[in-house]
């Protein structure tokens, strides 16, 4: 949706959807209600959570759980009694810590479970946008919307429970801070959720399977609750409508059968049938093609998930299944190094290992990303990297031993807010890559995901990091201002050309993040217009990336994700599939192994097309155009952007902004998918890592989020003392001869012998004095290179930039 349509955006998703479906939408009129019920967190009748005094708390104290111990059998819990003046539905809010980071605090808590009147515990499994948009309270606490409860008149018991850990700054722990909670009476009952598909799914099912709509009320009605609903497809056509009734009694749900629908994405709106002032509830569901996406190494498609932060534990298995059903063969995820290794050599990875096992159980290949180092491993001069690269080697080896399919050695180091330099990062990459390589049956080594081509990446590549990697990685996003029809960025072509110049064009290139920025208001999903733009862009970006030579593409992101006014997810705030999810499912199933053949020639002006081999003996042409045009497609089968097959064969197809797929059988055998690229075994000399180290006062200028202009090198005086660390990541002692190669006008004098014996898995440090002559121009980058040899073989060099400040 374009920026010139903000008025429509302010109208919100529900109003737009209801208008499209021909249903009324209005806010319920307020009625008198009993006063809110507020209970202090420390007023539990039974609890095993400590109470802490704090003058900021409303009652002077609050519940404060922060324990690394596994909870007792009953969990960490707090039980309260609540006197309800009348029976009915109550909205529950709490001043507590959210389970995800919010704009006003990085403090997080475990996901809460609730039980009412000794009933079953249910996790409050809301999506990240709900928590992210919470208002600040005090300290690290927020005002949280915890949903609605149906209370009986008189005494009720409410139990909060924690059974899952969360990731804190220095490790995993069971955590919760609860100041108070409040219950506010709602008038009557209302429709609260609409979904489709089987139980335990995220509103998806396969074409040909029986499917129902399920409507859920927030409480038990005291008279028959009749609702009406209408279903529209991606193109705005009404495909189903009807009525359903929930009778008084034990049930709060009712099902309505869906007709046989073609593959696609559908929006359903439902409201009370006997009231014109009832706000509609809108849901999304996806009917997926019966044709499955390619599995295993031949699958080229991935999705960023960051499951620990974005997926509630109770939804994890269904979420993983939904990503695989969408056709993703890979997921990109990561755990916090500080949480995984809270102290040197003491690993705590079980929390994240469960995520990895769940993803693998659903046929997904995990790409694990190494995060910034723990505080104990860093110094002011090394941030965000460990000062001793042996920590990087050991942590990467541990990470690789947990059986991810690949390990990416960091995320966007070129645009972080530190002063870390590309030469320091290159040394880190080498050490971490060696840790991965030195595990049995090692996963693939993936270079850091570079945000943008430029000075940082150029210097990192000059440090000869590519020889340590199986995969070259980078990211690519369109201009955030392009809200209407974003253009695929030139990052893929830039990276291909860069790899070719370095003679590394045989190394597979993965775009480990691609996506688009869509502006949203708090509390709403993308509008239908934005949803369509997102669906179109997903297809175009994936296709253009593969056509540019990318071996894999990872969409950002799969789960619901709201960040600073921008929405990224393929799922709605209710964990239901948006049209882009269905577009991805169509793309992955129809393209199959997606062997790029070439651009489609002979198209009308304004039309674009790319041809692929599916690996099933088919040619698949993906076509789109800025304005509708007719294109001949004799003898082909045509599918729309949602994967719906054309109703009848035709010699022509109308091509518009929504991509279409033109599939034709081809003669010959299916294309062979190449085996995964593996770097050659690394030699003893490549197990020697050189790393330049400077005092904090000589730190390079801040990267300014990747936009800083040169000079970018370490800021040196006329005479500067620095050190060169020589690491030996082999199992035997090695004798290394070091040599400094400064640029013209500079000299480097060794304070120690430059022939040094380095113990196995050890480090030796050589001190140098770097001197600039009077002819060196200030504030200009100059190259400073250190080389070494081991038994006559060259050790990969350490190359930095320095400037005379």
């Amino acid at each position: 949706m374009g920026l010139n349509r903000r008025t429509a955006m302010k109208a919100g998703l529900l109003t737009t959807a209801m208008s499209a479906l021909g249903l009324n939408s209005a806010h319920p009129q307020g009625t008198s209600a009993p006063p809110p019920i507020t209970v202090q967190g420390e007023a539990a009748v039974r609890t095993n959570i400590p109470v802490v005094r704090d003058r900021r708390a409303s009652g002077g104290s609050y519940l404060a759980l922060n324990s690394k111990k596994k909870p007792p059998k009953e969990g960490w819990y707090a039980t309260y009694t609540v006197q309800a003046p009348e029976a009915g539905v109550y909205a529950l809010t709490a001043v507590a810590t959210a389970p995800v980071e919010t704009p006003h605090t990085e403090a997080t808590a475990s996901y809460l479970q609730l039980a009412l009147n000794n009933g079953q515990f249910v996790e409050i499994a809301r999506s990240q946008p709900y928590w992210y948009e919470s208002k600040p309270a005090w300290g690290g606490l927020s005002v949280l919307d915890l949903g609605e409860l149906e209370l009986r008149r008189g005494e009720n018991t409410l139990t909060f429970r924690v059974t899952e850990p969360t990731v804190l700054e220095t490790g995993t722990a069971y955590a919760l801070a609860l100041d108070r909670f409040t219950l506010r009476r709602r008038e009557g009952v209302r429709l609260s959720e609409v979904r489709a598909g089987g139980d335990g799914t995220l509103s998806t099912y396969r074409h040909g399977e029986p499917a129902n709509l399920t409507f859920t009320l927030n409480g038990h009605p005291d008279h028959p609750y009749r609702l009406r609903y209408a279903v529209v497809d991606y193109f705005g056509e009404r495909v189903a409508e009807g009525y359903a009734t929930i009778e008084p009694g034990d049930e709060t749900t009712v099902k309505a059968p869906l007709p046989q629908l073609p593959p696609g994405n559908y929006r359903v709106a439902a409201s009370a049938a006997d009231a014109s002032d009832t706000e509609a509830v809108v849901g999304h569901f996806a009917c997926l093609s019966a044709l499955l996406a390619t599995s295993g190494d031949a699958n080229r498609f991935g999705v960023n998930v960051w499951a620990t932060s974005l997926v509630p534990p109770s939804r994890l298995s269904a979420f993983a299944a939904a990503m695989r059903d969408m056709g993703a063969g890979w997921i990109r995820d990561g755990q916090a190094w500080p949480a995984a290794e809270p102290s040197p050599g003491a690993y705590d990875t079980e929390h994240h290992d469960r995520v990895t096992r769940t993803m693998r159980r659903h046929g997904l290949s995990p790409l694990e990303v190494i995060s910034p180092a723990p505080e104990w491993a860093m110094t002011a001069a090394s941030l965000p990297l460990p000062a001793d690269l042996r920590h990087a080697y050991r942590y990467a080896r541990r990470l690789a031993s947990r059986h991810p399919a690949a390990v990416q050695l960091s995320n966007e180091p070129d645009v972080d807010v530190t002063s870390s330099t590309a030469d320091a990062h290159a040394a880190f990459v080498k050490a971490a890559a060696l840790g991965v390589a030195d595990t049995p049956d090692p996963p693939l080594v993936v270079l850091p995901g570079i945000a943008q081509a430029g000075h940082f990446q150029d210097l990192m590549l000059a440090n000869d990091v590519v020889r340590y990697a199986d995969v070259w990685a980078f990211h690519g996003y369109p201009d955030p201002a392009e809200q209407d029809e974003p253009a695929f960025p030139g990052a893929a072509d830039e990276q291909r050309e860069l790899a070719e110049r370095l003679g590394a064009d045989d190394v597979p290139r993965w775009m480990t993040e691609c996506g688009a920025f869509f502006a949203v208001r708090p509390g709403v999903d993308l509008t239908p217009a934005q949803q369509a733009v997102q669906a179109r862009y997903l297809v175009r970006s994936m296709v253009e990336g593969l056509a540019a030579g990318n071996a894999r593409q990872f969409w950002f992101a799969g789960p619901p994700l709201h960040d600073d006014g921008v929405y990224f997810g393929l799922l709605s705030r209710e964990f239901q599939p948006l049209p882009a999810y269905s577009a991805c499912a169509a793309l992955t199933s129809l393209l199959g192994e997606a062997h790029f053949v070439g651009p489609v020639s002979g198209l009308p002006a304004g039309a674009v097309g790319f041809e692929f081999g599916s690996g099933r003996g088919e040619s698949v042409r993906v076509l789109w155009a800025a304005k509708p045009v007719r294109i001949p497609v004799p003898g082909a089968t045509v599918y729309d952007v949602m994967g719906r097959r054309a109703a009848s064969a035709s010699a022509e197809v109308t091509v518009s902004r929504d991509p279409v797929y033109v599939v034709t059988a081809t003669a010959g055998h299916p294309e062979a998918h190449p085996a995964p690229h593996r770097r050659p075994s690394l030699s003893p000399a490549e197990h020697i890592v050189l790393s330049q180290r400077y005092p904090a006062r000589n730190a390079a200028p801040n990267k300014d989020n990747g936009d800083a202009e040169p000079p970018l090198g370490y800021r040196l005086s006329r005479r500067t003392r620095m050190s060169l660390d020589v690491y030996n990541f082999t199992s035997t002692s090695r004798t290394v001869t070091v040599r400094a190669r400064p640029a013209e006008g500079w000299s480097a004098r060794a304070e120690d012998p430059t022939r040094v014996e380095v113990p196995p898995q050890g480090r030796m440090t050589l001190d140098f004095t770097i001197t600039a002559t009077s002819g060196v121009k200030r504030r200009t980058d100059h190259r400073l290179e250190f080389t070494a040899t081991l038994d006559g073989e060259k050790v990969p060099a350490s190359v930095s930039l320095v400037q005379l400040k």
Side-chain angles (χ1 to χ4, degrees), residues 48 76 108-109 173 226 415 456 497 584 627 672:
N48 57 7
W76 299 109
T108 59
R226 192 163 185 257
V415 295
F456 189 97
E497 293 166 2
C584 187
K627 295 181 180 180

Side-chain angles (χ1 to χ4, degrees), residues 685-764:
E686 290 168 319
H687 277 71
I688 305 299
V689 176
L690 308 180
S691 178
Q692 300 181 42
R693 191 150 47 89
Y694 296 81
R697 63 178 176 272
N698 300 122
N702 191 280
K703 291 192 287 290
D704 191 24
N705 201 29
D707 296 326
E709 294 295 327
L712 302 171
Y714 297 104
R715 290 171 287 193
L716 307 188
S717 304
R718 287 286 178 187
R719 287 169 53 86
T720 303
R721 290 179 61 86
M722 55 80 66
S723 301
L724 180 74
D725 289 334
V726 183
Y727 292 91
N728 171 20
F729 290 112
T730 74
S731 58
T732 61
S733 181
R734 303 287 180 175
T735 300
V736 179
T737 302
V738 174
R739 181 181 177 185
R741 294 177 177 271
E744 183 177 355
W746 296 81
S747 65
R749 179 171 60 86
E751 306 294 334
D752 309 288
T754 55
R755 182 176 172 84
V756 59
E757 184 175 353
V758 189
Q761 297 295 314
R763 177 183 70 176
M764 296 296 291

Side-chain angles (χ1 to χ4, degrees), residues 605 625-630 653-657:
K627 295 181 180 180
V629 295
R630 297 287 290 174
V653 62
T654 299
V655 176
S656 66
R657 292 186 300 175

Side-chain angles (χ1 to χ4, degrees), residues 215 225-229 242-246 254-256:
F215 305 95
Y225 187 100
R226 192 163 185 257
L227 59 89
R228 58 176 176 164
Y229 64 90
Y243 293 86
T245 301
I246 302 176
V254 66
K255 295 181 183 294

Side-chain angles (χ1 to χ4, degrees), residues 633 636-640 644-647 650 652-653 660-663:
V633 290
T637 304
V638 177
Y639 298 83
D640 66 25
R644 180 179 61 180
R645 183 173 177 171
S650 174
E652 287 188 328
V653 62
V660 299
Y661 302 88
V662 179
V663 181

Side-chain angles (χ1 to χ4, degrees), residues 24 27 126 206 261 386 453 518-519 561 573 604 631 648 738 742 784:
N24 293 322
H27 293 288
R126 313 201 86 172
R206 292 237 171 244
L261 297 173
F518 292 103
L561 176 57
R573 297 162 59 89
I631 295 177
S648 59
V738 174
L784 175 58

Side-chain angles (χ1 to χ4, degrees), residues 292-300 324 327-329 363 365 552 592-593 673:
L292 301 180
T294 299
S295 60
D297 291 334
N299 187 291
R300 297 181 182 272
R324 187 65 191 93
S365 298
R552 282 199 172 86
E593 295 184 4
H673 190 80

